[in-house]
Amino acid sequence: MELLRLKHALFGLPPRPRRVRARRHRAAAALGGIAMSALLALLLAGTTMAVEPSASAGEPSPSAAEPSPSAGEQSASPSTRGSPASSPVTSPSVSPDESGDLPGQVLSPGEAAPPGFFPPAPVTEQGRDINNLYSIVFWIAAAIFIFVEALILWAVLRYRRLDDTLPAQTHGNRIAEFIWTLIPAVIVVFLFVASTTVIYRVEAKSENPDLTVDVYGFQWQWSFGYDCPQEFGSAGGFTRVEDCGLSFTGQGAQGPEMVLPVGQLVQIRLHGSDVNHAFYVPQFLYKKDVIPGQVNRFEVRVEQPGTYTGQCAEFCGLAHASMNFTVRAVPPSEYDAWKTQAEQEAEERENATPPPSPSGDGGDGETGATVEIAAENASAFTADQAEAPADQPFSIAFDNRDPSAPHNVSIRGATPEGDFVPPIADPGQQASYEVPPLAAGEYEFYCVVHPNMQGTLTVR
Amino acid sequence: MATTALTPRAIPYPRSRVYEWLTTTDHKKIGVLYITSSFIFFLLAGILALFIRSELALPGSQIFDPTSGLYNQVFTMHGTTMIFLFVMPMLTGFGNYIVPLQIGAADMAFPRINALSFWMIPLSGILLFSGFFLGGAAAAGWTSYAPLSAREVGPGQDLWIVGLILNGTSSILGGINFIATIFKLRAPGMTLMRMPLFVWNVLVTSLLLLFAVPVLTSALIMLFIDRNYGGGFFNPAAGGNAILWQHVFWFFGHPEVYIMILPAFGIISEVLPVFSRKPLFGYRAFVMATVAIGALGFGVWAHHMFTTGSVYLPFFAFTTFLISVPTGVKMFNWIATMWRGRLQFTTAMLFAVGFLATFLIGGLDGAFAAAAPVDFHLQDTYWVVSHLHYVLFGGSAFGVFAATYYWFPKIFGVRLDEGFGKIHFTLHFLGTQLAFFPMHLLGLDGMPRRIQDYSPAAGWQDMNVLSTIGAFMIAISILPFLWNVFISLRKPRDAGDDPWDAFTLEWATTSPPPPHNFDALPPIRSERPLFDLKYGELMGGHAGQHATPAEAAGYPTEADREAQSDPQGRADLPTNPTVADVEAGTTARSEAGGSGVIVVRPADSEAPGQPAAPATEAAPETPAAPETPATPETGEPKLVPPVTHAPGEGEVTSAADASRPSAEVTERVRRQARQKGTPPSDARPEEPR
Ligand code: HEM
Ligand SMILES: [Cu+2]
Ligand SMILES: [Cu+2]
């Protein structure tokens, strides 16, 4: 009985009335049909359009098979993830515009293709896992989408009202309903299993990563630290990235650059102290939140050398949109060279400029005039107007009362080379900056870490 | 028997209309107040959305000064307004108007609390928006994540907190009111499993409100303490926890998503059957799916927190996947409802079908977001903005417009113009796809949400331009709608009681209904009492299945019908056709509530369940006998032959057939009954008065 009704409900077609009366209904049906087909066409066109660029971007370039000569060298330390040498590492000599099909825009190998139906080509081992999972979900969803939209379209076109007879009053069918409960349930369980395997692979943490980089996110800038103290691994242990062997604090909307060795397992630890942020590199297909009071960590093994843009993904206030950074992945030998050089430069800088004097009560008045400027948060200086005497050196007593962000006071166009950019004062620190003589006029002063912090310095 | 024959002798006394509306406790007036005020907030928030889209169309700052933070205020207020001042009160408004009517009640259980709930809404709206004039509205997003929201300076965030506490109180009171109404005021015969699906959805929504909103309120109070009294709930430096807010907020926030979509599901479940001329396919499955969604909705909150690094991913991935099953069941049952129906594409139906087509995308998106690793990539990008608009705009807002076109004649006594309606729908549907689909692609490419600006080198401009064009298309689509409402309200209120030939009780009374709603109620033996009344239970009403013996015994007798044969009389006992009626080929009709509901039988049809074969030229058009003959003895719903409407209809140019006021059909049938024996094709209806 049920089966008969199922057949009746699903396959039996109502007899077609010969005379068509409801012209307006047809027009409406046609309208609905057109709208729906437009939607289908839009999506299908999008799919084909999108599949092509991302397919070509995903294909390894001719030289991809040949592993970078030095890729395996640095991986002496035990790793849970197999030897990096076996991972496909593209040599950096891939021609930059290979995957670029946007006129006038040069794309480096891993750089973002134009928006399509698939994520950007992944450049990390973990990203590949995520990308594969995405593809599985995408094709299943696409199949369901086309199937269901086709059913709707069919119903709209086939069963539009042609006469006023009452159709059979079918109240339901247990078998049919059971089937369309069961099939989604099976699909869903399959997807769950697939996702869980990927969760465990992507979220795995090794005891001994090849490299650990600490990230400090604050309103609205990033600092990256290499060779950081061991205690940074625990929630209360983090102090400041300046305590690390090597550290970089971003400047301006461009933010800092993180250099990573290709093929090595890198653990990234995320620290915050003001509000939530998120460390997001689209080409890693991965983001993780930066949350005050806890250390979040994740691991990546970058497989493709290149420069990848990253951005804060968790809304964090005024200048959230300009909280950028870049990740540059280079072969390990290049990484070592970079690091030695960066350490040298840091040392030179340390010797060249005395660290901002933590002078207790801001400025001794020896050089003449003192301008007092303070910051309490990263939105603005406490005052956006300041005055200084013309044509004589003066000092700025800067009081950084902000508990979480470093700041400084830079002056645009104050030196022949460009801006006057003194060292950055850590959270809670005071600094005294000696400014060379300035001609009378109005100057813009700003924080080099936070371009949104601005003021006017009137020199007369 | 189902009788609500109250005829209150209200003594009218003069009152100004403004005073009347300000002090009303009539659920219908309050419903209209809810609906209009929400619509105004929809327009406001829509204008904010246009600002957002204009800003984002091109890289660089078009409208907002990036150092002012105004953009952040605008998207925060857009999201907050759309959710708390548009979707929620709008659906509550329809619930207010329709639920008591659909269950045959005279009003809500607590009419004064009902009025109180309503008046809190505009007040909370004023508080929220006043921030713009008091130095900056809230700017931490509609989710207002702490610690950011605890640190933002200025009055905007505090106004936001107070406004939402007020708004939430209104929701809680409203929820209690609905629960009491639905459990206590149903008409005799209206068992739980005979309630219209809209009522079921409002019931589950109210339960969700009752459990979820107090959690939000507590979070808001904690935040208020943190901001103003030196608390440290969300400040790790003071021993608090920075993600506590997210747990508490999403424990409210995810059920909130279902609070916003379930009533829309209910609306679609009302509109599709009526314009398919079939009962809802799988009523029980719908009820179970609704309840399951409501229950599971409390177990998925942390899927909004996959990237926080502090939730157990597999568990929340699993529950999230799981909740898609009942939603999928609904989708298939809706399509099965249309299957083999006689679909009539009124604007309401177009919006309902548009809902299916669009919501499907929002639903499938859920599978991506539930796969936690994929969510690592998608979380907090424009992909999420796309997903939430496919659900809230393609879902809830389409539902709201379907409801508007569907119930407008009941509320105002006049139908909205179909021509303008179709223009509205076409622009609205295409605009929605154009505005929101490109956001999927932008998000996949890595464009974060809540950013005022993006780099020209990112390659995001083209899609953003498309999206902005779509947004303006949606905005333009509202103009024909507004014009439509305007001209329709100036037309004569001639829609009649039952313009759609619908199934549920709200159509059994006048349009608009009298203050007490019903003079009399038809018997309720299925979830489609009015259908049963008009087409007879033998035509597929499953009263036979569910009727209690008492009810079965309570069928109207010959005497009952005799008693109400006075055409002007207001019958206490409306009637269903008896087998004898049908055999005799007579037409039973009820004057109940002046609704003119009728049972149509061809004058010369044969025994019940046998193919109707009128001996007229219309005969060739009559569909052949069904494969399955009726089997009265099993008591199963029968697959009966399609009933021919009043014979002679073939001659009537059909354009407005089904939408013609039922009074006319009544008239036709009455005359036909009088002229029993004459060829039905001669029984031409006269034009309605
Ligand atoms: C006219 C149609 C609409 C357009 C063009 C539109 C556009 C947008 C855009 C572009 C955003 C992202 C803002 C950003 O992240 O920077 C947004 C956010 C949002 N929209 Fe809409 N929207 C529309 C209608 C709706 C409706 C009807 C609802 C709800 C029912 C809604 C709810 C939201 C919510 C909750 C957010 C998130 C706000 C936040 O991030 O705090 N929108 N909308
Ligand atoms: Cu941010
Ligand atoms: Cu700064």
Side-chain angles (χ1 to χ4, degrees), chain A residues 219 375 377-378 381 405-408 447-451 453:
Chain A
Q219 282 178 322
N377 56 45
F381 292 106
H407 303 281
N408 81 350
C447 165
V448 75
V449 182
H450 301 95
M453 297 172 70

Side-chain angles (χ1 to χ4, degrees), chain A residues 220 276-278 312-317 320-321 323:
Chain A
W220 294 282
N276 300 344
H277 306 273
C312 175
E314 180 65 68
F315 180 64
C316 56
H320 163 62
M323 217 173 134

Side-chain angles (χ1 to χ4, degrees), chain A residues 58 99 111 125-126 144 157 178 285 316 368 400 417 425 453 459:
Chain A
S99 62
E111 207 171 311
E125 181 189 308
Q126 291 75 7
I144 299 176
L157 297 176
F178 179 74
L285 272 57
C316 56
N400 181 2
E417 302 89 57
M453 297 172 70
V459 177

